[in-house]
Amino acid sequence: MNESELRERTRALLKEVNPDAKGDQRIPFRGAQFDRGLAWVSFPEGLGGLGLAPKLQTVVQDELHKGAKTYYEDMLVNPIGIGMGAAVVLAYGREEGKRELLRRMFTGEEIWCQLFSEPSAGSDLAGLATRAVRDGDDWVLNGQKTWTTLAHISKWGLLVARTNPDLPKHDGLSYFMLDMQAPGVEVRPLYQITGEAEFNEVFLNDVRIPQKHMLGEEGQGWKVAIATLMNERVALGGGASKKGGGPIAVLLELFENVEAKRSPAEEALLRDRIAKLYIEAELLRLTGIRAKAARDSNVVGPEGSVGKVAQAEIGKAIWECCADVLGPDALVYEHGYELRQGSTSSPNSRLHAKYTLLRSRAYSIEGGTSEIMRNILGERVLGLPGEPRVDKDVPWKEIRRS
Amino acid sequence: MNESELRERTRALLKEVNPDAKGDQRIPFRGAQFDRGLAWVSFPEGLGGLGLAPKLQTVVQDELHKGAKTYYEDMLVNPIGIGMGAAVVLAYGREEGKRELLRRMFTGEEIWCQLFSEPSAGSDLAGLATRAVRDGDDWVLNGQKTWTTLAHISKWGLLVARTNPDLPKHDGLSYFMLDMQAPGVEVRPLYQITGEAEFNEVFLNDVRIPQKHMLGEEGQGWKVAIATLMNERVALGGGASKKGGGPIAVLLELFENVEAKRSPAEEALLRDRIAKLYIEAELLRLTGIRAKAARDSNVVGPEGSVGKVAQAEIGKAIWECCADVLGPDALVYEHGYELRQGSTSSPNSRLHAKYTLLRSRAYSIEGGTSEIMRNILGERVLGLPGEPRVDKDVPWKEIRRS
Amino acid sequence: MLFEFSDEHGELRRTVRDFFEKESDENRVRELMSSEQGFDPTCWGRMAEELGIVGLIVSEEHGGAGLGMVELAIVAEEMGRVLLCAPYLSSAVLATSVLEFAADEAAQKEILPKLASGEAIATLAFSEAANPWDFSAIAMTAEPKGDAFQLSGEKTYVLDGQIANEIIVVARVDGSLALFRVADDASGLSREALPPFDPTRRIAALRFKNTPASRISSGDLCCQLECALDRAIIALAAEQLGGAQRVLETTIDFAKTRFQFGRPIGSFQVIKHGCADMLVEVEFARSAVYNAAFSGDEDPQSVAVAAQMAKSYCSDAYLDIANRSIQIHGGMGFTWEHSAHLYYKRAKASEILFGTASYHRERMAALLGFGAR
Amino acid sequence: MLFEFSDEHGELRRTVRDFFEKESDENRVRELMSSEQGFDPTCWGRMAEELGIVGLIVSEEHGGAGLGMVELAIVAEEMGRVLLCAPYLSSAVLATSVLEFAADEAAQKEILPKLASGEAIATLAFSEAANPWDFSAIAMTAEPKGDAFQLSGEKTYVLDGQIANEIIVVARVDGSLALFRVADDASGLSREALPPFDPTRRIAALRFKNTPASRISSGDLCCQLECALDRAIIALAAEQLGGAQRVLETTIDFAKTRFQFGRPIGSFQVIKHGCADMLVEVEFARSAVYNAAFSGDEDPQSVAVAAQMAKSYCSDAYLDIANRSIQIHGGMGFTWEHSAHLYYKRAKASEILFGTASYHRERMAALLGFGAR
């Protein structure tokens, strides 16, 4: 199928099914999109795809955006499932029931979450301690997972557990899909610096997972996990923001509109700082475009790797600067700190900036700390040698843990 | 002997011998100072001292400064010898000839230098490769030393060499005093970024050192070297500069006097930067005073350890700021870059600042890089654990080197 | 400057630390920061009676201990260390200093003993929204009304303004700055607790509408107010030092005991060097605070510069350390249950309070005449 | 902005790199930087004839290649990489652009072909000491004398002013900026080579005393001069990028092969993270330069902002990278024999030339109207 046929097929879908439903009402449209192979065009026919080149997906998205007023971004419907789970289920899931699993994932009928991080395994993900012990046709799991987005509304969890502690750390892991409604799964909100719980802790007490829900082979958990995280990168590395958009726009707006009596010297210092941040934000954006251009021509350059660490630091610095533009008004926190689930958003730039100052403290931690990202830049991109390792080639159970 | 007797003794010396001679003419005075035990009051009688508490030395210096117009600072006469060598010779030297050695060191008749660093052993001093092989009553040395101040005018060198490469790196070292006029010692100027050579490289080709010039026992080289470097610290950790003195004074003077048309914004940025540096320089000074107060009351606190790394960074930043105060004039380098020995100094602040911008690049390298100093702060002061080591408990010759 | 602490200073520090370790542990801080009042009156009473630190700098003639800035710095450092939730900075430091330096004798006699004993809590309402930390920017003007005055307008960012029962207002009379006392139940007075970014220190907006007020000072107070504010600034810098020191300790402990990749994370060089930098900052902050405190007692003409230096440096240092601490703690440092965010919020709010680091640098540069030809 | 480089662009880069790797290796740079002339006329001739890059941006009608900013950026980047000692920025970029944008047709016809062919070397003498990079600050006024003019006064920081044989001076006539051509043997002209901080690029002071000069422009040139300077700024930023990239490469190589404590120093996390930060800076610098270059060819109204951004960012980045490189090389990086200091000096001087990073940020903020209400 060529591009224009694909475009036509998408237009036909838009004509035949109402694309502008909301909430649960969007299920029929997304179901039809799946059935016509327009969910993931690179997937096989029957599993939401048409066996086409992955980049043709943009043709579908393009038409959907043009043809539907309220078309919901795929990622928002089921971010973990669609962004990370789909490819893993496709590659490693059992054939039986795969179609239904993928379809319900795509429509958002079944939300997915990811259960990788643990309290004692943050940057050192492969050091995780959740144990899975074989018992007949089942695995019995005990342990604790953390930083789990959406766990409280999820049907399925992508989970890595240790099936053999006698092997070196990367070798004793296996990968499962966990029914979040199974007995012994307890989800608790994890409150943050802001008082919100965007994340959860998930406690596993004698939770049984049938062998058929293992994705990949026993001991392949690390490989499947890495594949999952690579999908995350691709999912996150989407389109570049537009010029002067995003956080820097908020900063400029505040700088222009906040009433504050600053001395000329303070004004000059702030203006220089904002100019510096503007340049950095703009260069981050342009570097993203260069990275995309390189990817499109299949050239792998360093420009694609610098994004995460730079984005984290620039983002933090911009929100810090916003607070400083607000001046003494930043002493007042209108949102308050009552514990609550979900994430705060405010159309008011001033309030948004106050909240995001706090929220942004995690930019350099979540999704890989800046320390880990700099290790990766140094070792994988620049080819610098690794550090002496004390946790390789020894059984996991002999590695010191906190 | 109590403080007032010591004071009296010093005054007597000043009365009886002319203290205000210059150059070589100062030898008689310094000789008399040595003979009367006023060189190092804590040393034994006959070896330049009186067996008194070390802190009483300040009484002597105090009187000398009051009573002599041109009294030369001890350290300037023979910085390595007096600052680092004396204590080592006293503790580890053979009794025979010790008095004459120390006396000629103190008078400056015999200048000393230190031969520790090597091209391949910078931060990793104990990894040094200069070999000493026993041959009868002598040791035969081959290797290269670098960053040697004063080598070209020195009579003696304090030297560490590897006497046993089969032992772990710290265990196979021995410590010598080297006659710098011995055959096979070749001293070459080492030119720097400024075109000057403040330092030398010293090449050792089959140099013979008699066994009696070993300081300490065979294999004790590391211990003696550490003792030497501790003396260096004490020597460097001398009096605190006065308020607003030193580099920051140059910066303030330039900021006040340099004619430049800056925009109000540039002026504000520069003023804030200078204020920041002024604060840091002042806090460095005050922290030095706190450290001295703590030492005087025998309390070992962290304040004494932060000095080196802070001084290096603040110093560099101040000289960078000086250049920026000069503005486009910093494009012109009046000193030129002809290769020459010695160190540039200029009474003109503008020229001094241009030179020192370059010279200060080494502040964070010489005498222990800032990286090493931060390791020390982290490990010795804060008690953080060391890194996994690949160079311990293995024979030196098996350690990888560049 | 010789930084000579006496045995009594050491004893004071130990006493205060022991007390706060029990009375202001993290659980207590969390209780108080979500309570309505924001402080514990019982604890406050014990601070006044048992420790005698509420009236620490109240002169002896007015029932206080009559101690100096060094003692104040020690106490404030310990308070900062434990994030004490109490109206100390507002009542026992700023309002007390203003009354000592600038109020009429009658007012001093009436108010200060009550402050020293903990019976009353005072606040100084001086900040106006546009340019809150600069006395010369105060615009509120008192209208004469019979023997007394009337106040109208708004003061904001008033420390503990919601709980204070001695309200001292700075306003102008004929262009000069003067102090006014306003009864906490005065007509036309409304107080709004502002939701604080840092929930361990409360702020309020005070609105006045023809509110009766009695003048309790004579002459123009600009210099006295500056001196009093410098004291509060030094106390705040000492709090910042205490907080920074505490965060450093917590972070070092964590770095020693948290293992990743089979090693304590403090063995990773980047973490180690970060901790080393924090140590330098803490030691410099300490020098800055003690310098300001000793200057306050021994070298008054250099206090203003020393105070700006201390607040400027400590603001940057505390905030940097609090930020680094969150980062080193990783995800844990971002959770509500860990204390890292409490210190971060205190650090950020303390940086803003009384003026940011660059604001104080600008003032210092002006005092020292940098670049003035 | 799509950053689409053509095959021709790649070919140009390869050709230029091959040439300079041979003709401007470190030994050659060291020879030239201590030579009197400071460049190699033979090499310059080959750059003009064999490579055709001396006349790269000279229009085709005047004997040049008529290429654009993208090609110029590529060439300048390669020159910065090897610290080329040659009057390229002065003659082939700045003076050429000024002549193209602002000179009378007759002057263009006479001078530009000679520049393109390498036969003549031009410099633009515009900077005056007090405020050298701002055309609006130019004070020198040309006095009419018969049909021609006379110049008096001093221009400084004139790039390659000592060797140029086409001297173009910016001075005022009736308050307007105009271009003047001064013969290199004109009466009253004296040229003093200034000892350069960066010996790989020469500067001179030019003094005029009733020096005869012919006017070669009409009208006020302020805009044209700004446009020409923006080109030179972009070329300089490209040089900075090339230098920064090269220093990063050298430093990485060193960190991989230098062993201390039995490990390559690049395995130490602090060194590694420093290198990672340098990489981010280089990639951002690259985005800044290419953005400015493509804007120059495709989106002229955004060039001014893009140029300020590029020069500002590249100045900071190059200097930071050159400084870090010295530190990572340790003592060796501080020696005369290692190349680290050559790049450091070039980085520092390039940061100053045409205005520092903060100067360009200020200009950019003004162009974008930040905070203008």
Side-chain angles (χ1 to χ4, degrees), chain D residues 6 30 54 60 89 106 118 137 139 214 270-271 319 352 360:
Chain D
S6 65
R30 285 179 183 268
V54 171
E60 287 176 276
L89 187 65
S214 49
V270 157
I271 304 288
L319 190 56
I352 299 172
H360 287 294

Side-chain angles (χ1 to χ4, degrees), chain A residues 115 144-153 180 185-203 338-343, chain C residues 334-338:
Chain A
L115 300 154
Q144 183 189 346
K145 295 289 179 178
T146 190
W147 300 112
T148 315
T149 329
L150 304 175
H152 57 301
I153 55 167
M180 296 294 289
V185 177
E186 188 194 346
V187 177
R188 292 186 206 156
L190 176 57
Y191 297 103
Q192 302 150 211
I193 195 169
T194 50
E196 305 160 339
E198 286 174 78
F199 304 95
N200 302 278
E201 295 178 295
V202 178
F203 296 83
E338 302 87 76
L339 300 188
R340 61 200 179 278
Q341 281 202 295
S343 173
Chain C
F334 186 65
T335 60
W336 184 261
E337 68 185 311
H338 195 278

Side-chain angles (χ1 to χ4, degrees), chain A residues 75 79 83-84 229-240 295 308 311 366-368:
Chain A
M75 298 300 285
M84 306 164 72
L229 294 171
M230 287 294 140
N231 295 333
E232 179 180 30
R233 290 246 178 104
V234 173
L236 291 176
R295 273 198 307 275
K308 167 74 171 84
Q311 185 152 30
E366 57 196 348

